[in-house]
Amino acid sequence: MKTIIKLEEFGLFLFGIYLFSQLDYAWWWFLVLILAPDLSMIGYAFGNKFGAFLYNLFHHRAIALMLYLAGIYFSNEVIQLTGIILFAHSSMDRMMGYGLKQETGFKFTHLGEIGKN
């Protein structure tokens, strides 16, 4: 992946950290929750199609932003936190070359095949 894309994703990851800092949570919550969206990989136990759907649901930044904005609208920090974690995690994944999954298998993403240079 090109360096400029990795830098852009790193900037979005830092933005997620900034948004987290605006909430009233201890920093250890960020460290504990940042990998939680990867639990969605359990969906692959039920096949590639369901696995890709569930993984993409938890790694789609538009969904993360909608949750964050809903949290602001309803003045609910738990919903805001959920959106921030999903957003930051997705940016972190994409910075490392992991994108939204295709139904053909886990290693096939919108950023290309994982592990292929």
Side-chain angles (χ1 to χ4, degrees):
M1 186 183 335
K2 296 187 178 195
T3 304
I4 191 74
I5 295 173
K6 288 181 181 183
L7 288 172
E8 178 182 29
E9 296 299 339
F10 180 65
L12 291 171
F13 177 68
L14 290 178
F15 181 61
I17 292 172
Y18 168 76
L19 291 175
F20 177 83
S21 75
Q22 301 304 298
L23 299 179
D24 194 28
Y25 285 95
W27 279 101
W28 64 268
W29 278 108
F30 186 84
L31 297 173
V32 167
L33 295 173
I34 193 64
L35 295 178
D38 280 339
L39 292 173
S40 63
M41 286 188 280
I42 292 171
Y44 279 96
F46 302 98
N48 286 338
K49 188 173 183 175
F50 183 73
F53 171 78
L54 193 61
Y55 184 93
N56 292 342
L57 183 67
F58 282 84
H59 288 78
H60 201 288
R61 283 197 293 230
I63 293 171
L65 290 174
M66 286 189 296
L67 280 170
Y68 176 69
L69 293 174
I72 291 173
Y73 181 79
F74 293 111
S75 299
N76 186 319
E77 280 201 350
V78 173
I79 298 173
Q80 288 179 47
L81 174 64
T82 303
I84 290 168
I85 292 298
L86 292 176
F87 182 86
H89 176 87
S90 297
S91 297
M92 180 182 70
D93 270 5
R94 291 179 184 143
M95 181 176 61
M96 293 186 284
Y98 297 97
L100 296 174
K101 304 302 181 202
Q102 298 176 10
E103 293 179 356
T104 51
F106 183 80
K107 69 179 186 171
F108 301 101
T109 77
H110 82 288
L111 297 175
E113 188 176 335
I114 296 172
K116 187 175 181 181
N117 291 332

